[in-house]
Amino acid sequence: MKRFILNLIFLLNTVCVNGQFLSSDVLNKEFCDTLNKYRKSLGLSNISIEPKYKNFVDNHSLYQSKVNKLTHCNEYGCLQNRIDNDPNLYGLVCQENCTVVDVGNGFNIDSIANEVLGHFYRSKPHNEGLINPNFKKCYISAYKKGEWVYVTLILSD
């Protein structure tokens, strides 16, 4: 029985090493600071970090890593259905931005925050959310799996 438990612990540790969430506090601060510099350059007000959105974006970043693709849907439905079923987002106007970052050559949180903002800045529909003057709150999540980081950003009024 001891051997079984030790093998199970080893297996669980091995599985956990294959993927991990990147530090949400540091990532959110870096991303939000960079986003707010961009918004300020356009004469827009700052967006603040909303920690209540953490589970929403964490669940979605993890889901995308499991299916190895970017999507606004998951096993519970697509974006609006997911928003309607989240008590922290229900009734709010929201936009979700998703991307994936290749970190095969190494990474740090600052470089990921800048690259993610670049992905969203260069995409017209994603950029519209970044510069929407009605959006006041956001939260970003990043899940690293192998050489890829799956990112989910939620913006809301």
Side-chain angles (χ1 to χ4, degrees):
M1 184 64 165
K2 275 185 176 181
R3 179 178 223 107
F4 173 75
I5 292 172
L6 289 174
N7 284 335
L8 182 60
I9 290 170
F10 176 75
L11 178 63
L12 289 174
N13 285 334
T14 303
V15 170
C16 291
V17 169
N18 290 331
Q20 68 184 28
F21 282 103
L22 302 181
S23 175
S24 61
D25 291 339
V26 174
L27 178 64
N28 272 279
K29 180 172 179 353
E30 287 295 325
F31 181 82
C32 210
D33 287 350
T34 306
L35 173 57
N36 283 329
K37 285 178 191 170
Y38 172 50
R39 287 175 61 93
K40 184 177 181 180
S41 75
L42 300 172
L44 299 169
S45 62
N46 283 349
I47 283 188
S48 63
I49 299 166
E50 178 51 74
K52 288 193 259 183
Y53 301 166
K54 182 180 185 330
N55 287 339
F56 185 86
V57 293
D58 277 356
N59 288 336
H60 199 64
S61 293
L62 178 61
Y63 177 80
Q64 291 180 109
S65 78
K66 286 180 181 177
V67 297
N68 292 314
K69 71 176 187 175
L70 298 177
T71 178
H72 293 288
C73 300
N74 67 18
E75 66 269 25
Y76 303 110
C78 289
L79 179 59
Q80 192 58 55
N81 186 50
R82 292 173 28 239
I83 289 169
D84 290 344
N85 287 300
D86 188 294
N88 295 308
L89 295 169
Y90 180 80
L92 297 176
V93 175
C94 300
Q95 179 170 327
E96 179 181 71
N97 290 358
C98 301
T99 192
V100 64
V101 176
D102 180 352
V103 293
N105 292 326
F107 72 96
N108 62 47
I109 296 295
D110 187 50
S111 67
I112 289 175
N114 285 319
E115 188 166 347
V116 167
L117 187 61
H119 287 195
F120 296 153
Y121 173 78
R122 290 186 294 275
S123 164
K124 185 176 180 182
H126 292 100
N127 189 54
E128 287 173 356
L130 298 178
I131 63 172
N132 184 329
N134 297 318
F135 288 155
K136 307 290 184 221
K137 299 177 184 177
C138 74
Y139 204 85
I140 192 167
S141 171
Y143 187 83
K144 184 180 179 302
K145 179 181 173 189
E147 295 184 358
W148 301 101
V149 175
Y150 293 85
V151 177
T152 305
L153 169 69
I154 193 79
L155 301 149
S156 75
D157 57 0

